[in-house]
Amino acid sequence: VSAGLFTMSLYNVSRVELGLDVNQLVTFSVSPNLNGYTPEQTQALVVRLEDELRTVPGATHVTASRVPLLAGSNWGSSVRVEGFEAGPDTDTGSRFNEVGPGYFRTMGMALLAGREFTAADAGDAPKVAIVNRRFAEKFGLGQDAVGKWMSSDGRDAELDTLIVGLSQDAKYSQVRGEIPPLFFRPYRQNENIRSMFFYVRAA
């Protein structure tokens, strides 16, 4: 009976629509801080690894993220969004991830509007974000999310981040459960990188 229930559960999980393509996708992580790397050294290493992985025979797309997908990890933040009026009891929370250039193409997640992050979204470049459909629905953006401003630094923070893309919904921390409102930031705009998860799509 237990084996039968497990098999049925596994079958049901395998039929869940993830919103991303996990076939022929290799993932691994590095934590340079455990070897004494500074955040600056870690940032440089991660960028170099992305570049070198793209030269591996058979690798078609490469990207990285700070939160591993479908691994039970969750990062969340309270946000402010242009045009959304939040009262004292309004839920303004959203999950988020920090990702590398080409993330959505590598993960097989369609962009419904706007653009991907590029290597230019780094350092002192203007802050940018990509949001999913659930985020756009929750904060009243609809299909007009691109071009709106947001902030992830609390309720009273300045709207300093431009939304440049709207992505389809995809599973985040687990296969089961609802897809949460989610926004993405370029990891290259974070000066305190300590570890990173890589994704390589193979031909």
Side-chain angles (χ1 to χ4, degrees), residues 11-27:
Y11 174 73
N12 290 335
V13 166
S14 70
R15 298 180 63 194
V16 171
E17 177 57 51
L18 299 176
L20 54 98
D21 182 8
V22 297
N23 296 308
Q24 295 173 273
L25 192 67
V26 179
T27 181

Side-chain angles (χ1 to χ4, degrees), residues 84-152:
F84 182 76
E85 297 296 330
D89 298 321
T90 302
D91 174 16
T92 59
S94 174
R95 296 289 188 261
F96 74 94
N97 202 346
E98 294 180 350
V99 303
Y103 177 82
F104 297 88
R105 181 175 63 253
T106 303
M107 306 305 294
M109 296 167 59
L111 277 184
L112 307 176
R115 67 169 179 87
E116 277 259 29
F117 297 136
T118 70
D121 296 313
D124 296 329
K127 292 182 179 180
V128 290
I130 294 173
V131 303
N132 71 351
R133 291 183 63 181
R134 295 290 174 90
F135 184 103
E137 291 168 1
K138 178 174 180 175
F139 295 102
L141 300 177
Q143 296 296 317
D144 300 320
V146 175
K148 296 292 176 52
W149 292 85
M150 63 169 289
S151 172
S152 57

Side-chain angles (χ1 to χ4, degrees), residues 18-197:
L18 299 176
L20 54 98
D21 182 8
V22 297
N23 296 308
Q24 295 173 273
L25 192 67
V26 179
T27 181
F28 66 93
S29 65
V30 296
S31 298
N33 63 300
L34 299 180
N35 278 347
Y37 277 55
T38 66
E40 294 79 9
Q41 291 172 324
T42 298
Q43 178 89 243
L45 174 64
V46 170
V47 171
R48 192 170 81 245
L49 278 172
E50 279 187 301
D51 291 340
E52 293 188 7
L53 285 168
R54 291 188 181 96
T55 69
V56 174
T60 60
H61 300 294
V62 175
T63 194
S65 73
R66 297 196 66 201
V67 180
L69 286 185
L70 308 180
S73 296
N74 284 277
W75 284 7
S77 175
S78 178
V79 302
R80 285 188 65 216
V81 180
E82 179 183 351
F84 182 76
E85 297 296 330
D89 298 321
T90 302
D91 174 16
T92 59
S94 174
R95 296 289 188 261
F96 74 94
N97 202 346
E98 294 180 350
V99 303
Y103 177 82
F104 297 88
R105 181 175 63 253
T106 303
M107 306 305 294
M109 296 167 59
L111 277 184
L112 307 176
R115 67 169 179 87
E116 277 259 29
F117 297 136
T118 70
D121 296 313
D124 296 329
K127 292 182 179 180
V128 290
I130 294 173
V131 303
N132 71 351
R133 291 183 63 181
R134 295 290 174 90
F135 184 103
E137 291 168 1
K138 178 174 180 175
F139 295 102
L141 300 177
Q143 296 296 317
D144 300 320
V146 175
K148 296 292 176 52
W149 292 85
M150 63 169 289
S151 172
S152 57
D153 297 324
R155 286 179 177 265
D156 300 320
E158 177 187 357
L159 298 175
D160 60 354
T161 302
L162 180 66
I163 298 174
V164 297
L166 173 67
S167 77
Q168 72 177 36
D169 290 333
K171 295 293 185 176
Y172 173 59
S173 64
Q174 55 189 2
V175 173
R176 294 182 174 178
E178 294 295 320
I179 296 173
L182 180 63
F183 69 93
F184 303 84
R185 294 283 314 278
Y187 80 77
R188 298 186 186 205
Q189 293 189 336
N190 187 332
E191 298 178 350
N192 192 31
I193 300 296
R194 300 175 63 82
S195 62
M196 190 66 69
F197 293 83

